[in-house]
Amino acid sequence: MSTQASNTRSEPSDDPAAQLDVLGDECARTILVATSGGPKTAKELTERTDSSSATVYRRINNLLESDLLAECVRFDEDGSHTTAYEARAETLSVRIGADGIEVTVARNES
């Protein structure tokens, strides 16, 4: 039996097709992996994915719309701040049944 961390919450997805579609893209998956370790800026994600900044911003928007990514503010030691992105999903479960496909997301509650 698996246990769930106390800082996560599971819920069925409102739009499982959108979440599965966005996860079909390698750049989007790379962004999720990169942001699961903490907030990353679009510039950092562009470097990580070896994609154009336009492509990274499109994937970021897709992930935000699918509720798999969250926007946050990252403060630097010098007091400046920048927009960063952090993965919201810790675990994604897919169940296929007679009624269709159900996606359940365990979300980070940070």
Side-chain angles (χ1 to χ4, degrees), residues 36-88:
S36 67
K40 302 285 185 285
T41 64
K43 181 179 178 184
E44 292 168 334
L45 294 170
T46 299
E47 293 168 1
R48 177 87 177 249
T49 63
D50 289 328
S51 298
S52 70
S53 61
T55 297
V56 169
Y57 275 108
R58 279 193 301 273
R59 297 317 180 269
I60 286 171
N61 285 331
N62 292 344
L63 289 162
L64 288 169
E65 289 173 7
S66 298
D67 207 23
L68 296 173
L69 198 67
E71 191 174 272
C72 60
V73 176
R74 189 170 75 184
F75 294 93
D76 295 325
E77 290 180 13
D78 65 1
S80 64
H81 62 281
T82 186
T83 300
Y85 304 92
E86 189 168 25
R88 288 202 65 220

